[in-house]
Amino acid sequence: MTRRAQMRNRPRVPLLKEIPLLIWLVFLWGALWQDFSAGNLIFGAVLAFIVANIFYLPPVELSGRFNPLYAAGFLVRFFYKLVHASFEVLWLSVSKGPNIKNAVVGVKLRSRSDLLVTATGHALSLIPGSLVVEVDRSTSTLYLHCLNVSTPEAADKVRKDVRDTESWLIRSIGTREDLDVLKAEQALAGPPSGRQADGAATTSKEVNP
Amino acid sequence: MSAELNDLIVGILMLGGALMSLAAAIGLTRFPDLMSRMHAASKPQVLGLLLFLLAIAVQFESWSLLPVLVVCWLFMILTAPVSAHMVGRAGYRTKHLRPELLTIDELDDVVGRAQELLLQSRADGTGDADEDEDPQVDDDPGAHSQAGSLDDDSSAQTAQGARRPGHSPEG
């Protein structure tokens, strides 16, 4: 009884927003049975609908836009970096080993969307050589542990790389507002990261006693 | 596709996957601390598993098998960063890291400043700092790289040694 009352109090998720989840569940059902015949898929769809309504999770807030071209570009870039960095870690473990120097680098992201911050953190963690140690959700700052970073220049390179990854994600799945911010930033001349660091250096001195 | 070519591709893919396992093993034994080992232990497997799954796909040439392999890899890439993040985060918070191996530590600056603010507000007697101050509020952590790099390693070490262990950045 209480459970039903709780379910009634919950805001209904519109079917349109639920559809990506349902499609994924049906695909999973078909994949696990290795059977994509119509009957199996329909039964899977019924199960998916029941599961999505009984085991109710906080909805993932999608942005409502998806650019397949940039998504493909992101995937190509991701796989290139995956292969490149995997061999780099192999080389580092052989050549440097115990003498490796690392760094924890903080990178402030543009987007405040949980999904986008999570996606960026995931993509970065999957690429060898960087690991998300801490996330500051209020300012959407990622703190990354990076292999073989010993100079500020290398840290800046990491920072630029992270923000590039984010911009690819914004262009493929980000919200319209984030995309506008990104476009405005790129329209301005000069490297944006350097200028921001200069501006923030004065503020951080004021904060720091 | 001829059988020989098929076998050749499968062989190359499996060798690549095995090489990634080797990378993880070498990294585990040769890297000095928890964080670096996390890199070696969790990351090359993303590519390693992908290569092995591709080898399976090429070997069996069955379309119905492909979705399972895709799902297998998807769950790998969904879960691997989470576990790596949890271990890394726990390791950082419990100070299972060797500061002398870190050339730059911007999170440490943030944590230190948050603690100073917290101590300051306690000294002032306001006491409600836990609600008001978000300990990790930071305008741009990128700004600290210059400061962190100007200080040499020894000063960074003393700063870390003076700090008491077991802090929790989020209070």
Side-chain angles (χ1 to χ4, degrees), chain A residues 24 27-28 30-32 34-36 78-79 82-84 86-87 89-90 92-108 121-139 141 143 145-147 149-152 155-156 159 193 196-198 200-201 203-204 207-209, chain B residues 19-20 22-24 26-27 30-33 35-36 38-40 42-44 46-47 50 62 64-65 67-68 70-71 73-82 84-86 88-89 92-93 97 100-108 110 113 116-117 120 134 136-146 149 153 169-170:
Chain A
W24 160 244
F27 170 75
L28 193 63
L32 290 177
Q34 300 191 20
D35 176 12
F36 282 88
F78 175 75
F79 278 110
L82 188 65
V83 174
H84 182 254
S86 291
F87 281 99
V89 168
L90 173 61
L92 282 176
S93 63
V94 172
S95 65
K96 287 220 172 176
N99 304 319
I100 192 131
K101 291 284 182 195
N102 308 317
V104 175
V105 183
V107 189
K108 195 171 184 303
H122 248 77
L124 292 168
S125 290
L126 283 169
I127 294 167
S130 54
L131 174 81
V132 178
V133 179
E134 194 72 65
V135 184
D136 184 1
R137 191 173 166 226
S138 62
T139 57
T141 306
Y143 293 92
H145 183 271
C146 305
L147 269 186
V149 171
S150 48
T151 57
D156 278 340
R159 227 168 265 130
S193 58
Q196 279 190 359
D198 287 347
T203 53
S204 71
V207 175
N208 238 341
Chain B
L19 192 66
M20 288 300 117
L22 183 69
I26 295 176
R30 287 207 20 113
F31 281 147
D33 67 338
M35 299 283 211
S36 324
M38 278 305 298
H39 286 288
S42 65
K43 305 313 168 50
V46 178
L47 183 60
L50 178 69
S62 139
S64 66
L65 197 62
V68 189
V70 170
V71 166
W73 196 65
L74 273 182
F75 276 115
M76 164 86 177
I77 68 172
L78 279 176
T79 51
V82 178
H85 167 63
M86 290 320 287
R89 180 174 147 130
Y92 191 91
R93 289 194 178 197
L97 81 169
E100 74 270 18
L101 296 174
L102 289 177
T103 49
I104 305 166
D105 190 349
E106 290 172 356
L107 187 54
D108 190 61
V110 179
R113 206 162 59 236
E116 275 170 24
L117 280 173
Q120 209 174 11
D134 188 346
Q136 293 205 359
V137 165
D138 191 16
D139 293 322
D140 186 359
H144 306 299
S145 66
Q146 287 87 357
S149 56
D153 282 342
E170 281 176 8

Side-chain angles (χ1 to χ4, degrees), chain B residues 13 48-58 68-70 72-73:
Chain B
L13 288 172
L49 183 71
L50 178 69
L51 292 175
F52 269 112
L53 292 177
L54 280 176
I56 293 172
V58 173
V68 189
L69 304 179
V70 170
C72 181
W73 196 65

Side-chain angles (χ1 to χ4, degrees), chain A residues 13-54:
Chain A
V13 182
L15 193 65
L16 203 67
K17 274 201 166 181
E18 239 180 9
I19 279 208
L21 172 69
L22 292 181
I23 290 176
W24 160 244
L25 284 176
V26 172
F27 170 75
L28 193 63
W29 178 260
L32 290 177
W33 281 105
Q34 300 191 20
D35 176 12
F36 282 88
S37 62
N40 196 36
L41 287 188
I42 289 170
F43 187 55
V46 171
L47 278 184
F49 189 76
I50 293 172
V51 162
N53 279 284
I54 290 182

Side-chain angles (χ1 to χ4, degrees), chain A residues 111-183:
Chain A
S111 173
R112 290 295 165 92
S113 149
D114 285 342
L115 179 66
L116 206 80
V117 173
T118 311
T120 311
H122 248 77
L124 292 168
S125 290
L126 283 169
I127 294 167
S130 54
L131 174 81
V132 178
V133 179
E134 194 72 65
V135 184
D136 184 1
R137 191 173 166 226
S138 62
T139 57
S140 59
T141 306
L142 295 179
Y143 293 92
L144 301 158
H145 183 271
C146 305
L147 269 186
N148 197 31
V149 171
S150 48
T151 57
E153 289 77 40
D156 278 340
K157 212 172 138 234
V158 168
R159 227 168 265 130
K160 185 180 175 305
D161 187 54
V162 171
R163 289 175 66 85
D164 281 352
T165 303
E166 196 210 4
S167 72
W168 274 99
L169 276 169
I170 287 178
R171 281 173 188 281
S172 42
I173 59 165
T175 58
R176 203 155 286 286
E177 293 80 49
D178 285 338
L179 190 65
D180 289 343
V181 169
L182 181 66
K183 277 180 177 163

